[in-house]
Amino acid sequence: PGPGAPGGLFAWLRGRCLGRGAAVDPARDTFGAMTGLYGAIQPADSVSLSTRTHGAVFNLEYSPDGSVLTVACEQTEVLLFDPISSKHIKTLSEAHEDCVNNIRFLDNRLFATCSDDTTIALWDLRKLNTKVCTLHGHTSWVKNIEYDTNTRLLVTSGFDGNVIIWDTNRCTEDGCPHKKFFHTRFLMRMRLTPDCSKMLISTSSGYLLILHDLDLNKSLEVGSYPILRARRTTSSSDITSSGSSGPRAVGSPCHQNNSGPLSEKTLSRPSQREGGSPRNSLEVLTPEVPGERDRGNCITSLQLHPKGWATLLRCSSNTDDQEWTCVYEFQEGAPVRPVSPRCSLRLTHCIEEANVGRGYIKELCFSPDGRMISSPHGFGIRLLGFDAHCSELVDCLPREASPLREIRSLYSHKDVVLTTKFSPTHCQIASGCLSGRVSLYQPKF
């Protein structure tokens, strides 16, 4: 409808801005140029960076200003590259005593690494010969690091099921004050939304936990938090009755298990959503996954839209014969009915992935503006969009779940790609594979 539609010009303008927040992003209408640049990327233009004997590449992370690319390696090492010149800067040869799983920048010079040796290490780019400090608190492999820039609290999660908060404001050479914030069984990945108002936790048993109105200063024990909603996204049944065949072990491996993340006694509490949500209200979902056929699934990778509009999941079936990339829109607001409240997530887009590299987790990501997804696909990566024009998610929300559109496929590896990342500042994409090679993709003029 145009300006002449019922309601007049102001109603039309309001409709155009609906869902985009308080202000319209001025870059949204000029993204055609960036789409053209990504479309010009060719496999032959990639720069292969050999990591020699450092083992598989488990994770990639750019510094916020895009000046440094860090590589988390299987064989205890962290590599640093200049992504602009494609030159190797530094190797942290004994960053940890076991696999390095994840890297997170706190600012342009400080970054944290976590490992299967159960520790987290803080590093300063200005003095890489030694760690700033080593953090001890987890009792099993540490897989994920998040950072709240408002409170300067570091948040980590591991296969011990614990989410731990670290006070970097009082960090010393001996470590940082820390406390256990949350615990759940079969924890896989943990993420904070960009505004740190929610925490999302995925599990190897196919459940997704969401803590709403997040307050990191309050520790949570099992049973002490209000249950907001507990249900499957595709039906009104309670999560305790949803079918799941139990997950399987996956590489960079998960733990095997036979039940859901929380006890049936805990989940049987009535919803406390009515009258407004208290802080740290817990929602437990079983996300709809296409082709699941009631066989259960494992949520191996979890990412958040950079504007907080959606969550991105990589799911593997328990029978290990299918993998899916799925996008779920956040639906805010009060429930429709207290007895059968709607979920806060809705499946909007999905695509089936190449079923190769079984047993290894593939980490995917959003582009900095959220218009594209880079996903490991066999021996390469796929660039995916919500439509063929790489439109904003809010501009092309379908009534029913629709396929993600493949914008481009890039293949330059000779082994299974495990991780991929967009540069936050340049038209560049990085990918890392099982045999330890890093590739950079960028337009060539």
Side-chain angles (χ1 to χ4, degrees), residues 3 27 29 44 61 72 75 185 254 270 295 314 352 364 377 383 397 419 421 429:
D29 295 323
E61 185 72 12
Q75 301 296 336
R185 290 178 289 172
C254 318
R295 293 172 300 175
R314 181 78 167 245
E352 189 168 5
L364 64 176
H377 188 74
L383 301 184
L397 281 173
T419 182
K421 188 74 69 172
I429 308 169

Side-chain angles (χ1 to χ4, degrees), residues 57-110:
V57 174
F58 284 159
N59 205 265
L60 300 163
E61 185 72 12
Y62 285 89
S63 60
D65 61 5
S67 63
V68 177
L69 173 64
T70 56
V71 181
C73 298
E74 179 184 16
Q75 301 296 336
T76 76
E77 298 187 344
V78 173
L79 308 178
L80 291 89
F81 291 94
D82 177 356
I84 307 304
S85 65
S86 304
K87 292 182 178 179
H88 177 241
I89 300 173
K90 178 79 173 177
T91 296
L92 307 179
S93 57
E94 295 183 358
H96 288 274
E97 297 179 359
D98 208 333
C99 302
V100 184
N101 296 315
N102 192 233
I103 301 173
R104 175 70 62 184
F105 275 86
L106 283 60
D107 53 36
N108 282 320
R109 61 180 179 84
L110 290 173

Side-chain angles (χ1 to χ4, degrees), residues 52-178:
R52 300 178 190 173
T53 60
H54 305 300
V57 174
F58 284 159
N59 205 265
L60 300 163
E61 185 72 12
Y62 285 89
S63 60
D65 61 5
S67 63
V68 177
L69 173 64
T70 56
V71 181
C73 298
E74 179 184 16
Q75 301 296 336
T76 76
E77 298 187 344
V78 173
L79 308 178
L80 291 89
F81 291 94
D82 177 356
I84 307 304
S85 65
S86 304
K87 292 182 178 179
H88 177 241
I89 300 173
K90 178 79 173 177
T91 296
L92 307 179
S93 57
E94 295 183 358
H96 288 274
E97 297 179 359
D98 208 333
C99 302
V100 184
N101 296 315
N102 192 233
I103 301 173
R104 175 70 62 184
F105 275 86
L106 283 60
D107 53 36
N108 282 320
R109 61 180 179 84
L110 290 173
F111 65 95
T113 60
C114 64
S115 169
D116 283 357
D117 67 6
T118 75
T119 70
I120 301 97
L122 293 182
W123 305 85
D124 192 325
L125 286 175
R126 300 169 299 181
K127 188 181 179 183
L128 290 171
N129 292 329
T130 183
K131 303 174 185 177
V132 174
C133 64
T134 300
L135 310 181
H136 299 271
H138 284 280
T139 57
S140 187
W141 302 342
V142 189
K143 293 295 184 180
N144 200 189
I145 308 172
E146 291 288 280
Y147 184 63
D148 184 348
T149 55
N150 299 320
T151 60
R152 295 179 62 190
L153 293 174
L154 198 69
V155 189
T156 62
S157 65
F159 280 179
D160 56 4
N162 291 327
V163 176
I164 296 180
I165 308 296
W166 310 83
D167 187 357
T168 56
N169 298 296
R170 295 187 288 161
C171 195
T172 67
E173 292 183 358
D174 298 326
C176 294
H178 65 278

Side-chain angles (χ1 to χ4, degrees), residues 283-306:
E283 178 179 11
V284 186
L285 302 172
T286 308
E288 174 188 359
V289 178
E292 181 187 0
R293 303 191 188 107
D294 294 323
R295 293 172 300 175
N297 66 85
C298 174
I299 304 174
T300 57
S301 182
L302 167 66
Q303 300 291 339
L304 275 299
H305 190 282

